[in-house]
Amino acid sequence: MQQTITGKTKLLGVIGHPVEHSLSPVMHNAALTHLGLDYVYIPLPVEPRNLQTAIQGFTAIDLVGFNVTIPHKQAILPLLSEIEPIAQAVGAVNTVSRKNNLWIGTNTDVEGFLAPLQTTYNQDWSQKIAVILGNGGAARAVVAGCAQLGCAKIYIVGRNMQNLEEFRKSWDNSPLGVNLYVHTWDSLPKLIPQANLLVNTTPIGMHPNVEESPLSAEEMAHLPPRAIAYDLIYTPNPTKFLQQAQNIGAIPIDGLEMLVQQGAAALKIWLQRQTVPVDVMRQSLHLK
Ligand code: NAP
């Protein structure tokens, strides 16, 4: 089915800098075409210094909504009229929608991260320990997700103790009630044997560095039985990290499903629909 732009076509998009690499236009346009809706989803490159002007422009041209990617996920917060509680808890917005001419920010990365864990590996998490590698933006959505699962403890592993301490403090008054501890990478040997869920939120192993992994095969081998290894990276698929996990019998989850599910959650908000064609969105990425 070919998408046709008409005089009435409604606009959606993604802002970022850079934004050329984004897979969101392919995924969302596949869904919109499948649904036969007169919408188009476009890349909107916005430099950091132009963020406020861009948002004023979006109001002027009647954009229906947009996704937010690096480097605007935190910077956009003060420019929006309302921030949903989940985005406040994460401290970042990835989806903006329009209500009564006001821009409302939310965060669907948490829902995206949780989707494969809840649908495929639904279990009682109250005695489980999550070890999260990295303490950047994506790690914040993962922490919120692990807190929503009810994990007993969350260990964050990073390379800069000052950043780690700031990260820990930022969750002190969180309504999510996060039980969070921070460690540097040298603590990994004592953390891995406790990890029921091990999440890579660093870019280590991402294309073109496909031979890299945040762990050695030997470190990975100390994961407990039936542990889940979750890599947020989606190119390559699988990553070296996930291959190592598979080799020792751990359960691998790749970042593609998170990408699809955060997109599906955003599309439901913009279109005010209960369902969107998730299979079509997933398939459009496999064809890339
Ligand atoms: P970010 O804010 O830049 O954070 C990256 C984190 O990784 C930082 O804590 C950084 O440490 C750490 N790191 C980077 N290189 C490292 C290295 N060589 N050794 C040790 N630590 C290293 O990036 P992000 O937005 O969180 O994204 C992280 C990854 O998640 C990317 O690969 C991104 O594509 C992926 N992601 C996937 C999805 C999805 O839907 N699947 C969604 C969001 C993000 P420092 O703080 O010390 O610099």
Side-chain angles (χ1 to χ4, degrees):
M1 220 185 316
Q2 183 74 39
Q3 201 169 1
T4 311
I5 311 265
T6 72
K8 294 183 196 150
T9 301
K10 294 199 174 87
L11 296 177
L12 294 165
V14 52
I15 62 165
H17 181 73
V19 80
E20 296 87 46
H21 66 281
S22 175
L23 296 176
S24 294
V26 169
M27 179 170 73
H28 284 290
N29 285 316
L32 293 165
T33 306
H34 180 85
L35 290 167
L37 297 175
D38 195 2
Y39 281 72
V40 67
Y41 183 109
I42 51 174
L44 298 161
V46 176
E47 282 186 35
R49 65 190 165 93
N50 293 331
L51 184 58
Q52 187 164 12
T53 316
I55 291 168
Q56 286 164 351
F58 298 160
T59 308
I61 62 169
D62 219 11
L63 206 78
V64 174
F66 55 98
N67 280 129
V68 185
T69 188
I70 292 170
H72 304 310
K73 283 186 171 188
Q74 275 126 32
I76 199 166
L77 267 85
L79 304 175
L80 302 173
S81 304
E82 242 178 73
I83 313 287
E84 298 281 356
I86 188 66
Q88 277 173 14
V90 174
V93 160
N94 83 325
T95 300
V96 179
S97 59
R98 199 144 174 207
K99 197 166 77 185
N100 303 330
N101 249 358
L102 300 174
W103 291 116
I104 318 291
T106 191
N107 192 307
T108 65
D109 280 335
V110 182
E111 196 174 329
F113 168 71
L114 286 175
L117 290 170
Q118 289 170 325
T119 50
T120 319
Y121 308 105
N122 205 6
Q123 54 180 301
D124 175 15
W125 290 89
S126 63
Q127 306 299 317
K128 308 281 185 194
I129 293 180
V131 174
I132 300 171
L133 309 176
N135 56 293
R140 300 195 67 83
V142 173
V143 167
C146 290
Q148 286 196 358
L149 287 174
C151 288
K153 285 182 190 166
I154 303 171
Y155 294 127
I156 303 288
V157 181
R159 55 184 173 180
N160 178 318
M161 207 24 151
Q162 196 179 335
N163 291 351
L164 284 164
E165 275 303 330
E166 277 168 27
F167 187 95
R168 190 187 58 72
K169 278 200 201 109
S170 71
W171 294 94
D172 273 354
N173 300 316
S174 168
L176 296 175
V178 183
N179 196 8
L180 187 113
Y181 304 84
V182 292
H183 293 272
T184 45
W185 286 84
D186 51 352
S187 300
L188 214 51
K190 86 169 185 250
L191 301 179
I192 295 292
Q194 304 177 56
N196 306 106
L197 172 64
L198 174 67
V199 189
N200 177 34
T201 77
T202 78
I204 304 171
M206 190 160 72
H207 179 81
N209 304 313
V210 298
E211 284 308 318
E212 293 179 7
S213 167
L215 301 187
S216 66
E218 199 197 333
E219 285 169 322
M220 184 71 90
H222 289 100
L223 274 178
R226 291 181 301 284
I228 297 173
Y230 195 145
D231 201 338
L232 262 50
I233 295 172
Y234 43 82
T235 44
N237 192 2
T239 55
K240 176 124 186 232
F241 173 84
L242 290 186
Q243 288 170 29
Q244 290 168 330
Q246 226 158 355
N247 288 344
I248 57 127
I251 300 164
I253 302 182
D254 62 66
L256 203 70
E257 194 59 16
M258 174 172 171
L259 181 73
V260 170
Q261 296 289 350
Q262 63 76 29
L267 200 56
K268 284 182 198 168
I269 295 171
W270 297 322
L271 301 180
Q272 294 177 27
R273 293 174 63 104
Q274 298 295 320
T275 58
V276 292
V278 179
D279 291 345
V280 172
M281 296 171 87
R282 191 182 294 116
Q283 183 63 19
S284 73
L285 298 182
H286 284 298
L287 295 175
K288 278 294 291 169

